[in-house]
């Protein structure tokens, strides 16, 4: 026991060793045996009166005390008991002395404890338990179950008062249901302080779910010896006859109670409350009835837990339905802050509250009754220190934030849902002050005075109602409220993470798109520059002046400009008729006839660019030398779709004077005859007839449809170029893979200028691989990007045949080159003559002479 000179404080009762009182209640006797139940180790002082066996029982054999048959039955009961700590209850066991007893037996801490009470003729416990359980089985909600139970136990067990006593969050108890004799005052709705049931008593209620006190005035019976040979007390935590703390007996006597019974209500492993039975005269509840009461108590706890879970589930389903509606909205929103702010009214329906607020990115939004805006930074700092990224709640905010007392009238309770582990973002639920009067069962403040156990805290001597008015507190948040808040937290964090992932993914995709657009733009610009370079570099025909050359060049560049504008504006292409109108409109006059006829054909960007140059050359030629050069000339341009849906364009001129065919094929004629087959895979034919030029151009169906409406020119080898251009005196076969005809012509011209005339060209990888079956080039130049194709398969074939080659590209360095081809030199577009020849020199192995 505690030393009497220990300082008196509020924890004294909590340290009273009530599990080792050293005595039992007088309505039974107790014998303690060894673990094997052979020898008596201890016994209660009243064994002689109960069993009729005189003298010291210590060391005597159990068969001598109980008889062989009874010992056999008791050992069997111990063997089949699932939980050895919980007592096996055996009504009406006949002992060797010929008397019948109700026996409780259990093993605990290496000893066997046997409790005996005089047997009664009570009804069978299973039948009684069944009758009681059937009365509450149909209760479909917590309130109905609790109300039925108090009335049922009073009727079945006969106690004067039955209360269901629920523990609040602060440990205090509240009587939530009561059935009593009419003459008794009511305790319904009254609160009892947490100190009325000390912690060690609550722990015993979890271990031993049924507690009987037969007489608060009765004398206790000591256990002999009080200490064993090792100086240890006998632990009676699971014993039915364990004597009661004098403090608790005094407490009950102050209430006028002479006998009591309590049944523990255990929900999810925690002590939820008690079924407390009071009687105002001594009363011994027979063991068969106690068995029924204990069975009923366990069913009640399970049924209560099931109903609470059902209520939680229904509440959670309603909350999840609301959250699901929010999540559906979230799929169409990219701004999580704006989404939450716009839906605060919906969050207000998740649980009982008076206001909702959102603190996010240092911005504040609110609906309903919330603290003043000036208080939000203080609340934010508090939450930063206590929330820890989870749900945190208080029903008395001023206890944590003293300045909250100023606005407790509008906000007294707070529940915070953390939206981030790293940022101070919170969804906040608020409750107003709930001014309430608590009816305490007497003044909850215990007094210091000398009691039966010495100078210590003693129980209250009066249980008249003592009223306390509570201010600055809100209705406490329930477990259901916290579960809903946690569900909201999980859902909102998921939304936040999802939006964060989407934003990160969108940024990554945008970066990829931007990079691809930049590369595509770079490629297109370089191709355009290569085409312009070939146009500029083309020599003038004999007899043409510089002015005529410049004029022709301007016209061709203008045609490219128009084609580019149309491609951009037309989302990748344009109308064939619009292109014809644009090219022929400068040449229309009253003296000539121009007729256009054909379906509404749309050309893709590739065909549009090619046809812009081709039609420009045809129109310019007709205006200078053909049907449009003199009055009375006629030009007919018609186009149709053949059976393969290819576009067939016929250009027919009828001049008034005889036309002389050109003596030499110029650049314009070469462009017309070669660009369509080369660039588009189509066909073109030009005939110079006496009455004028006739041409037929076939554009493959894949390029057309009917409308229903800082660059480096060095090879990528690093360091200085230390190989010279190849000598023209040595024969060299060059294999060129290039899908742009003008660029290919430009390369051919460069090579021819240096005496390299043996040049084989291909416009696709398939064509190149086919030609390589018979061709044996000395060196190859491969354009990496061939429209929808690449030259990588050709590179592997050249690598297999050990033919040196280089890549050419308008993209960034090596963007499309596989790792195993990283050693291959890369030359940039547009081609530089010196770099091209130097690269060829390096590949064929001609070193610079010192």
């Amino acid at each position: 026991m505690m030393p009497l000179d220990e300082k008196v404080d509020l924890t004294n009762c909590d340290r009273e060793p009530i599990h080792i009182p050293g005595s039992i209640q007088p309505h039974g006797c107790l014998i303690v045996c060894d673990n094997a139940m052979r020898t008596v180790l201890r016994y209660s002082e009243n064994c002689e009166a109960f069993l009729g066996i005189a003298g010291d029982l210590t060391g005597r054999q159990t068969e001598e005390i109980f008889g062989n048959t009874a010992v056999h039955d008791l050992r069997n009961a111990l063997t089949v008991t699932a939980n050895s700590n919980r007592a096996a209850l055996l009504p009406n066991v006949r002992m060797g002395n010929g008397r019948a007893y109700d026996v409780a037996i259990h093993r605990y801490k290496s000893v066997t404890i046997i409790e005996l009470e005089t047997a009664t003729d009570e009804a069978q416990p299973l039948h009684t338990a069944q009758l009681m359980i059937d009365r509450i089985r149909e209760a479909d909600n917590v309130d109905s179950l609790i109300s039925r139970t108090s009335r049922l136990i009073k009727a079945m067990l006969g106690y004067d008062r039955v209360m269901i006593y629920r523990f609040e969050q602060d440990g205090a108890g509240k009587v939530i249901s009561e059935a009593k004799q009419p003459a008794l005052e009511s305790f319904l709705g009254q609160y009892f302080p947490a100190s009325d049931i000390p912690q060690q008593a609550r722990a015993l209620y979890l271990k031993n779910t049924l507690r009987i006190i037969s007489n608060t005035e009765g004398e206790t019976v000591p256990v002999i010896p009080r200490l064993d040979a090792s100086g240890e007390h006998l632990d009676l935590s699971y014993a039915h006859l364990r004597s009661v703390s004098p403090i608790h007996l005094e407490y009950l006597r102050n209430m006028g109670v002479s006998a009591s019974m309590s049944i523990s209500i255990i929900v999810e492993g925690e002590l939820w409350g008690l079924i407390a039975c009071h009687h105002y005269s001594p009363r011994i509840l027979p063991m068969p009835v106690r068995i029924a009461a204990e069975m009923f108590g366990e069913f009640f706890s399970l049924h209560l837990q099931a109903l609470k879970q059902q209520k939680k589930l229904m509440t959670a389903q309603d909350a999840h339905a609301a959250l699901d509606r929010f999540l559906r909205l979230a799929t169409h929103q990219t701004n999580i802050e704006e989404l939450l702010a716009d839906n605060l009214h919906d969050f207000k329906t998740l649980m009982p509250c008076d206001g909702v607020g959102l603190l996010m990115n240092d911005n504040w939004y609110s609906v309903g009754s919330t603290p003043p805006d000036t208080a939000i930074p203080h609340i934010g700092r508090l939450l930063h220190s206590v929330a820890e990224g989870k749900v945190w709640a208080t029903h008395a905010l001023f206890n944590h934030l003293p300045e909250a007392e100023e606005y407790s009238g509008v906000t007294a309770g707070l529940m915070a849902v953390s939206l981030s582990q790293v940022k101070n973002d919170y969804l906040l639920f608020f409750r107003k002050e709930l001014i309430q009067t608590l009816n305490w069962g007497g003044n909850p403040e215990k007094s210091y005075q000398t009691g039966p156990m010495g100078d210590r805290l003693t129980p209250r001597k009066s249980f008249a109602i003592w009223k306390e008015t509570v201010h600055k507190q809100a209705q406490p948040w329930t477990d259901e409220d916290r579960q809903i808040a946690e569900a909201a937290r999980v859902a909102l964090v998921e939304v936040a993470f999802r939006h964060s992932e989407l934003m990160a993914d969108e940024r990554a995709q945008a970066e990829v798109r931007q990079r691809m657009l930049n590369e595509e733009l770079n490629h297109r610009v370089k191709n355009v520059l290569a085409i312009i370079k070939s146009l500029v570099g083309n020599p003038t025909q004999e007899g043409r002046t510089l002015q005529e050359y410049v004029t022709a060049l301007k016209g061709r560049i203008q045609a490219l400009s128009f084609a580019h504008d149309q491609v951009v504006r037309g989302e990748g292409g344009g109308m064939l008729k619009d292109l014809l109108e644009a090219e022929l409109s400068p040449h229309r006059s009253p003296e000539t006839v121009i007729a256009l006829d054909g379906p509404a054909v749309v050309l893709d960007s590739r065909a549009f660019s090619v046809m812009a140059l081709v039609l420009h050359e045809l129109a310019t030629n007709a205006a200078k030398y053909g049907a449009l050069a003199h009055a009375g000339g006629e030009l007919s341009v018609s186009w149709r779709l053949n059976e393969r849906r290819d576009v067939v364009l016929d250009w027919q001129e009828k001049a008034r004077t005889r036309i002389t065919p050109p003596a030499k094929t110029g650049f314009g004629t070469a462009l017309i005859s070669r660009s369509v087959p080369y660039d588009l895979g189509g066909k073109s034919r030009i005939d110079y007839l006496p009455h004028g030029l006739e041409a037929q151009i076939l554009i493959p169906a894949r390029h057309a449809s009917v409308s229903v409406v800082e660059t480096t020119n060095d090879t990528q080898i690093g360091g200085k170029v230390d190989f010279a251009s190849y000598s023209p005196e040595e024969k060299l076969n060059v294999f060129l893979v290039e899908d742009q005809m003008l660029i290919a012509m430009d390369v051919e011209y460069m090579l021819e200028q240096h005496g390299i005339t043996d040049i084989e060209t291909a416009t696709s990888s398939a064509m190149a691989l086919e030609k390589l079956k018979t061709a044996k080039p000395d060196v190859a130049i491969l354009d990496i990007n061939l429209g929808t194709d690449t030259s990588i398969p050709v590179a592997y074939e050249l690598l297999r045949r050990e033919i040196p080659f280089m890549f050419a590209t308008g993209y960034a360095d090596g963007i499309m080159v596989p790792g195993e081809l990283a050693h291959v030199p890369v030359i940039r577009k547009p081609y530089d003559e010196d770099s091209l020849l130097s690269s060829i020199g390096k590949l064929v192995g001609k070193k610079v002479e010192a």
Side-chain angles (χ1 to χ4, degrees):
M1 304 298 287
M2 292 185 308
L4 295 181
D5 59 351
E6 183 175 342
K7 182 179 179 180
V8 177
D9 58 40
L10 292 175
T11 65
N12 280 10
C13 288
D14 284 347
R15 293 201 300 273
E16 185 178 2
I18 60 176
H19 62 301
I20 51 172
S23 59
I24 63 171
Q25 297 184 58
H27 62 273
C29 70
L30 178 142
I31 291 180
V32 181
C33 306
D34 59 82
N35 195 49
M37 204 181 135
R38 291 190 178 91
T39 306
V40 176
L41 302 178
R42 302 186 191 189
Y43 60 95
S44 63
E45 201 174 61
N46 61 350
C47 280
E48 180 177 354
F50 264 85
L51 300 175
I53 302 175
D56 186 2
L57 302 184
T58 306
R60 297 174 69 169
Q61 298 298 304
T62 54
E63 286 82 357
E64 181 185 350
I65 305 298
F66 303 118
N68 293 335
T69 301
V71 169
H72 177 269
D73 292 342
L74 293 177
R75 284 175 176 161
N76 283 343
L78 278 177
T79 302
V80 300
T81 301
N83 186 345
S84 60
N85 293 335
R86 291 283 295 274
L89 304 178
L90 293 84
N92 205 19
V93 177
R94 191 159 299 276
M95 297 294 174
N97 61 7
R99 301 179 190 174
Y101 299 90
D102 293 334
V103 179
I105 180 170
H106 71 282
R107 284 196 181 106
Y108 189 51
K109 293 186 176 181
S110 75
V111 298
T112 302
I113 300 174
I114 305 169
E115 302 172 81
L116 301 97
E117 302 174 40
T118 302
T120 60
D121 296 328
E122 293 289 334
Q124 290 298 314
L126 289 179
H127 178 68
T128 304
Q130 183 180 15
L131 289 176
M132 297 175 70
I133 289 171
D134 284 344
R135 296 297 190 277
I136 65 168
R137 191 186 301 276
E138 302 304 319
D140 57 1
N141 61 74
V142 172
D143 293 338
S144 173
L145 174 67
I146 290 173
S147 175
R148 292 185 188 188
T149 297
S150 57
R151 297 195 303 270
L152 174 65
I153 290 183
K154 181 180 183 303
M156 295 295 293
L157 303 187
Y159 280 93
D160 293 332
R161 185 198 304 271
V162 176
M163 300 173 289
I164 296 184
Y165 184 89
R166 182 187 66 205
F167 293 121
E168 302 293 297
Q169 292 180 348
D170 60 0
K174 180 182 180 181
V175 178
I176 59 174
S177 179
E178 181 185 52
K180 64 179 183 64
Q181 295 290 2
L184 297 174
E185 63 175 324
S186 175
F187 291 158
L188 182 63
Q190 290 189 24
Y191 289 83
F192 294 85
S195 56
D196 277 9
I197 303 179
Q199 290 301 319
Q200 81 275 31
R202 297 179 192 232
L204 286 179
Y205 280 126
L206 280 172
K207 291 181 178 181
N208 199 340
T209 59
L210 196 79
R211 183 72 170 120
I212 295 292
I213 300 175
S214 59
N215 188 353
T216 59
E217 300 282 357
E219 296 292 331
T220 60
V221 179
V223 175
I224 305 171
R226 185 177 183 86
L227 302 177
D228 65 9
S230 300
E232 294 293 327
H233 291 276
L234 177 64
D235 193 323
L236 295 176
S237 294
Y238 293 93
H240 285 225
L241 294 175
R242 173 171 52 84
S243 63
V244 186
S245 162
I247 301 294
H248 186 56
L249 291 175
E250 185 179 353
Y251 179 95
L252 291 175
R253 289 195 295 268
N254 287 342
M255 296 177 71
V257 175
S258 295
S260 74
M261 180 190 72
S262 64
I263 304 173
S264 303
I265 303 173
I266 300 173
V267 175
E268 296 179 353
E270 301 289 335
L271 188 63
W272 183 88
L274 296 171
I275 300 174
C277 305
H278 287 175
H279 208 65
Y280 292 86
S281 60
R283 185 162 192 265
I284 300 173
L285 194 68
M287 181 175 287
V289 181
R290 296 208 306 266
I291 293 173
E294 189 171 14
M295 294 173 63
F296 173 82
E298 291 188 355
F299 178 83
F300 175 87
S301 293
L302 291 173
H303 196 28
L304 174 64
Q305 180 173 322
L307 291 176
K308 285 172 65 65
Q309 290 291 351
Q310 182 183 51
K311 182 180 179 181
K312 288 180 181 178
L313 180 61
M314 294 176 62
T315 303
Q317 286 175 339
D318 293 340
H320 283 130
L323 290 173
D324 285 342
R325 290 193 295 271
F326 172 78
L327 291 175
R328 285 194 293 271
L329 290 174
T331 59
H332 306 292
Q333 284 275 2
T334 57
N335 189 323
I336 182 67
E337 180 179 338
E338 181 180 325
L339 176 66
L340 289 169
D342 290 344
N343 290 274
L344 284 181
H345 281 286
D346 293 335
F347 285 104
K348 194 170 181 290
T349 64
L350 287 180
M351 68 181 74
C353 64
D354 299 300
V356 178
L358 173 68
L359 180 59
M360 193 169 194
N361 298 323
D362 294 327
N363 297 319
W364 172 246
Y365 312 88
S366 63
V367 295
S369 180
T370 60
D373 292 352
T374 55
I376 301 306
H378 302 283
I379 293 176
R381 285 192 290 273
L382 169 67
L383 295 177
H384 179 65
S385 65
V386 299
E388 298 180 343
K390 300 177 182 178
V391 173
W392 182 83
T394 176
H395 68 287
L397 181 58
F398 80 97
N399 286 337
H400 304 273
L401 198 67
E403 55 265 37
E405 185 175 358
E406 299 176 3
Y407 49 84
S408 59
V410 292
T411 297
L414 164 66
M415 177 174 283
V417 178
S418 298
L419 303 181
S420 171
Q421 295 289 335
V422 295
K423 296 169 59 181
N424 292 329
D425 294 343
Y426 304 95
L427 179 67
L428 306 176
F429 297 87
F430 298 100
R431 284 180 177 172
K432 292 181 178 179
E433 177 185 31
L434 178 64
I435 301 176
Q436 57 181 328
T437 300
L438 301 184
N439 293 325
W440 291 94
N443 189 329
E445 299 296 330
K446 290 189 174 183
S447 58
Y448 295 93
Q449 55 186 284
T450 300
M453 297 298 293
D455 192 17
R456 60 188 296 135
L457 292 175
T458 59
R460 300 182 305 280
K461 292 184 178 293
S462 171
F463 285 88
I465 290 179
W466 186 85
K467 296 181 181 292
E468 177 188 15
T469 302
V470 179
H471 294 275
K472 306 168 192 173
Q473 295 185 18
Q475 180 68 33
W477 305 95
T478 65
D479 289 341
E480 289 80 5
D481 295 334
R482 292 175 180 271
Q483 288 183 353
I484 293 171
E486 177 61 21
R489 187 190 71 82
V490 172
L492 295 177
V493 169
E494 180 181 344
V495 170
F497 276 141
R498 178 61 179 156
H499 276 267
S500 178
E501 290 174 356
L502 288 175
M503 290 177 65
D505 186 54
E506 190 65 31
R507 284 195 297 270
Q509 291 183 17
E511 289 174 0
V512 172
R513 286 195 297 267
Q514 185 64 43
R515 188 165 61 251
M516 292 178 66
L517 286 173
N518 289 341
E519 296 292 348
E520 181 64 22
L521 177 61
N522 192 33
H523 176 71
R524 288 180 180 273
V525 168
K526 288 180 178 180
N527 276 342
V528 170
L529 291 175
I531 293 172
I532 293 174
K533 184 173 181 292
S534 68
L535 294 177
V536 173
N538 181 65
T540 60
Q541 289 178 295
E542 185 178 349
R544 295 180 67 185
T545 65
L546 179 61
Q547 183 62 38
E548 289 174 327
Y549 165 76
V550 172
T551 301
L553 178 61
K554 286 182 178 180
R556 289 165 180 164
I557 293 176
Q558 184 65 31
L560 280 176
S561 175
F562 172 75
H564 174 73
D565 287 344
Q566 286 298 107
V567 167
V568 172
R569 293 171 186 170
E571 298 182 356
M575 299 290 293
L576 175 58
K577 185 175 182 180
D578 292 343
L579 184 56
L580 283 163
E581 289 282 6
E583 295 296 344
L584 292 172
S585 59
H587 309 299
R588 289 184 181 276
S589 70
E591 291 81 18
T592 57
V593 176
I594 299 176
L596 304 179
D597 181 52
V601 170
V602 178
L603 303 179
D604 66 13
S605 60
R606 188 180 184 89
F608 201 90
S609 297
V610 170
M611 289 303 294
L613 287 173
V614 170
L615 295 175
H616 175 76
E617 293 299 325
L618 288 172
T620 302
N621 184 73
K624 289 184 176 181
Y625 314 111
L628 303 182
H630 304 283
E634 298 179 9
L635 171 62
S636 172
V637 184
S638 62
W639 60 96
R640 67 186 188 280
L641 300 180
N642 64 14
E643 63 277 5
R644 293 190 300 273
R645 310 257 334 147
D646 302 326
V647 177
V648 180
L649 183 143
D650 292 304
W651 180 286
Q652 294 180 333
E653 297 182 26
K654 290 184 180 180
R656 289 301 182 185
T657 60
R658 185 180 180 83
I659 303 298
T660 303
K664 182 179 179 181
T665 302
F667 177 77
T669 302
L671 189 150
I672 295 169
S673 60
R674 294 185 60 182
S675 61
V676 173
Y678 199 100
D679 286 329
L680 305 181
K683 298 178 181 178
S684 61
R685 189 190 78 245
I686 300 177
D687 295 322
Y688 291 95
L689 303 177
H691 61 271
L693 181 146
E694 290 188 0
Q696 188 176 75
I697 298 171
L698 184 144
I699 304 171
R702 65 178 178 273
H703 294 295
S705 61
V706 176
S707 173
V708 292
V709 216
E710 162 185 74
T711 305
T712 174
N713 293 314
D714 293 333
T715 54
Q716 193 179 29
I717 57 176
K720 176 182 176 183
V721 177
D722 54 6
F723 290 85
S725 300
Y726 200 81
S727 170
E729 288 79 23
E730 297 182 50
K731 184 176 176 59
L732 186 69
N733 184 288
V734 176
F735 190 62
L736 175 63
V737 180
E738 171 59 64
D739 63 330
Q740 294 282 338
M741 186 273 295
L742 288 176
I743 299 176
M745 289 173 60
D746 189 31
V747 174
E748 290 176 8
Y749 179 76
M750 290 181 191
L751 296 178
E752 287 171 357
Q753 290 296 104
H754 290 79
I756 302 174
T757 58
D758 192 358
I759 305 169
E760 186 75 30
T761 60
T763 62
S764 66
S765 61
M767 182 188 295
L769 292 172
E770 183 64 29
K771 288 189 175 185
L772 283 174
K773 291 179 180 179
T774 56
K776 297 181 180 179
D778 299 308
V779 67
I781 306 169
L782 309 181
D783 182 12
I784 297 177
N785 182 49
L786 302 174
T788 58
D789 193 9
T790 74
S791 61
I792 299 301
V794 184
Y796 283 121
E797 176 62 19
L798 294 172
L799 198 64
R800 186 185 68 79
R801 294 176 56 178
E802 297 183 349
I803 298 172
F805 63 97
M806 73 181 80
F807 284 124
T809 182
Y811 285 95
D813 294 352
I815 189 171
M816 299 180 66
V817 178
E820 57 267 35
L821 298 176
H823 65 283
V824 177
V826 178
I827 189 170
R828 320 311 312 162
K829 287 184 178 182
Y831 294 95
D832 175 79
E833 188 171 312
D834 293 336
S835 295
L836 178 62
L837 272 295
S838 294
S839 300
I840 292 174
K842 175 174 177 60
L843 289 173
V844 298
K846 180 173 174 58
K847 295 185 178 179
V848 175
E849 299 296 331

